[in-house]
Amino acid sequence: MDTVECRVDKVVFRSAKNGFSILSCITDHDYITITGPMADVQPGVTLTVQGEWKTHPKYGRQMEADHWICKAPQDLDGIELYLTNFCKGIGRKYAHKIVQAFGPNTIETLDKHPEKLSIIRGIGKGRLKKIQESWKKHKAIQDVMIFLQGHGVTPGYAARIYAHYEEDSIAVITKNPYQLADEVQGIGFQMADQLARSLGIDKDSYVRIRSGVLFTLNQVSNDGHVYARRDQLVHKAIQLLDVDEVKLQATIDEMMKMGEVVKEGAAAIYLPQLRYCEIGIANNLDRLMTKPKVLKAEVAKIETKLKISYDPLQADAIMSAMNSQVMVLTGGPGTGKTTVTQGIIEAFLQNKLKVALAAPTGRAAKRMQEATGMEAKTIHRLLEYRPDDGFLCNQTNPLDAQAVIVDESSMIDTFLMNALLRALKTGTRVILIGDIDQLPSVGAGNVLRDIIDSEMVPTVRLSKIFRQALTSKIIENCHRVNEGQMPDIRVKKDSDFFFIRAENKDDIPRLIEELVSKRLPNTYEVDPLDIQVLCPQKTSDIGTVALNKRLQAALNDSKIFVQYGDTMFKIGDKVMQMQNNYDKNVFNGDVGNILSINREDDEIIIVFDGVPVTYSTSDLGDISLAYAATVHKSQGSEYPIVVMPIHNTNHIMLERHLVYTGFSRAKKLLVVVGSEAALQYAVRHEVTTKRNTMLKERLRGEVGEELAEA
């Protein structure tokens, strides 16, 4: 890391959103360019900067700043430049006059006696007010940045905090730094805790323990649980906080009194919103299932119309949809869920019902639309989600539909399922479609499985693999894995499934690179970007991080890039959105390509399904390279060709449902690279970790003290 001292000459670019700046600066010898989230830095000031020199293909050599100290202008020219650029109402002419009048004391005058500026001809009451307001705002930004950096907060995060609280930042932080963890994106408990300790807040303080309890409950929900058992919560919170158990228990009791957490029965501790949603799902399903209205449909007419022949179980599924207000349709690949869905849609249309189709992700909705020929939307889009207002379709403004069919329902978590069901009018028919043998939702709950296991909702499970699917080794091996059997890995000509042995894990990255960049594109005449590598995990030599760097180097030679942390994003890169962004209308798991990068304007254009979306450099924390992705992130998607590494180095993640989910993502070709022993272990290893939920019991009306203790 290098250090330079310079004077800021010009702000070439500054993002209003995040403060990212490109500064032209003067040293004793030359002009240099410095970049970073420097919202408080103005022309004229003196900077001492620590950072790394990088060579930008378009803008040349520049320093990416990690830390800096900003000093007031050291000379009259610097002071004049300083005033010219930041202060509304001054400009070059009046800056010159002010510096002539007050000389080296100009900054002190603005700080302590701004009214003295009125002696200068042309600075009346209006202009003086503008100058005072600009100076006050500037000083507030500067004070906040200095305060935060003095307590170990990096400039980037300091800029985020200021953007959220503005001049109130110091007051909010001093009163309760843990508030940042609740309200500022990217600032978790650990960072807030570090800041709090720097401010001298006692580790046994109520405000710290309270924040730690909420953080622990959120972590438990991130692991898929809707609630934490009290003993589970106490154990995890003590590990996090290192506090006395008596104080922790007392804090939890106080939080219950305040309604910040909710106790159910003797041992279940909920975040209020999660309990509300779980109860809401149960109540709304009960409401939607009341007084079922039987519809008329003839399977024979549907078969004629669609030119499809249904077997008895598929025909029963269509008739069950006619006889039920709510129904679940489940089954593995090749069992005909799509053809049954087409039949149900046709039956609803014959009964003149207004039908809406939806799925949890954009890619799943697109697949549904392609399969049915009808418009399909994400659930968020269907319910008209707005970042500031939530779901516009809700219990007071219900969805205008008489039947709603939802695909990939196993991906729907507790929050989203409650939002969907409460937005449906009583009498609306609901068909939930999904494969419960895939990995459960990323978010809290195991909603589809709980609904099925409750036995309160009519469920049809398709099990027969149809003739056209029987020729597919992908589908055959999916079902073998799901049944705990070793897949058939024998090499057969013209097969859609291949296993390439690589017992040495060091050989796997090289083989995957060859497959994706040369062998598969040449053999099958496909674009390498249509080949998806799916990994059991992020880390290790055959995880997504390492493979993405390797595949990027092999597939993308663009010299135009932007650096974010350890990742270089280039024009043409395949990327994935890693969390929902409702402002941009892109969602967790959406895959796109970088169309353009404009460093000068801090603008990156990424195209998702033909729609260009604008990002800034600070947004790239939500983006990952996607040449390789985790199996978890692939849910709801299908890819023409999937390459999947499996080796003992992924031991901790190897289990049956993960392999099954990864296999089922391949549409035309699946290539597994790795160890036969590791594959065998994964198939035999079934993780049955129970998520803490009470939805099944709520649907049965069984929730009570004894249940919550279990």
Side-chain angles (χ1 to χ4, degrees), residues 624-680:
S624 170
L625 294 175
Y627 301 98
T630 63
V631 174
H632 286 82
K633 286 292 186 183
S634 73
Q635 288 180 266
S637 300
E638 277 187 350
Y639 310 97
I641 299 177
V642 167
V643 177
M644 192 170 174
I646 294 180
H647 194 271
N648 287 327
T649 191
N650 301 129
H651 181 83
I652 195 169
M653 295 298 294
L654 292 181
E655 65 96 16
R656 186 184 302 171
H657 296 294
L658 183 139
V659 174
Y660 172 76
T661 302
F663 279 18
S664 65
R665 300 304 87 199
K667 195 173 181 180
K668 295 179 179 179
L669 181 69
L670 172 63
V671 183
V672 180
V673 184
S675 161
E676 185 174 345
L679 179 57
Q680 193 165 48

Side-chain angles (χ1 to χ4, degrees), residues 26-76:
I26 305 171
T27 69
D28 291 338
H29 312 291
D30 202 1
Y31 277 87
I32 62 172
T33 300
I34 295 176
T35 67
M38 309 166 86
D40 60 322
V41 177
Q42 300 295 335
V45 303
T46 299
L47 279 180
T48 303
V49 185
Q50 285 186 319
E52 291 186 8
W53 289 102
K54 301 285 179 70
T55 301
H56 188 274
K58 182 176 179 181
Y59 302 107
R61 192 166 182 258
Q62 52 188 243
M63 175 176 276
E64 291 186 357
D66 287 319
H67 301 282
W68 60 87
I69 298 171
C70 184
K71 300 177 185 175
Q74 303 296 297
D75 55 46
L76 297 184

Side-chain angles (χ1 to χ4, degrees), residues 98-166:
I98 292 168
V99 172
Q100 278 191 320
F102 299 101
N105 298 320
T106 298
I107 302 297
E108 185 181 358
T109 302
L110 282 163
D111 276 340
K112 298 177 180 178
H113 305 290
E115 69 280 357
K116 289 184 178 181
L117 269 64
S118 61
I119 66 172
I120 295 170
R121 188 174 179 180
I123 298 182
K125 288 182 180 180
R127 192 180 299 276
L128 181 61
K129 186 179 178 182
K130 284 182 180 179
I131 294 170
Q132 286 177 302
E133 287 173 351
S134 293
W135 184 255
K136 183 181 177 183
K137 184 178 179 181
H138 168 69
K139 290 294 291 181
I141 295 172
Q142 199 172 50
D143 290 347
V144 169
M145 300 296 279
I146 292 169
F147 173 81
L148 289 169
Q149 291 178 59
H151 289 284
V153 180
T154 63
Y157 284 111
R160 286 191 189 188
I161 293 167
Y162 181 81
H164 192 86
Y165 298 113
E166 295 183 337

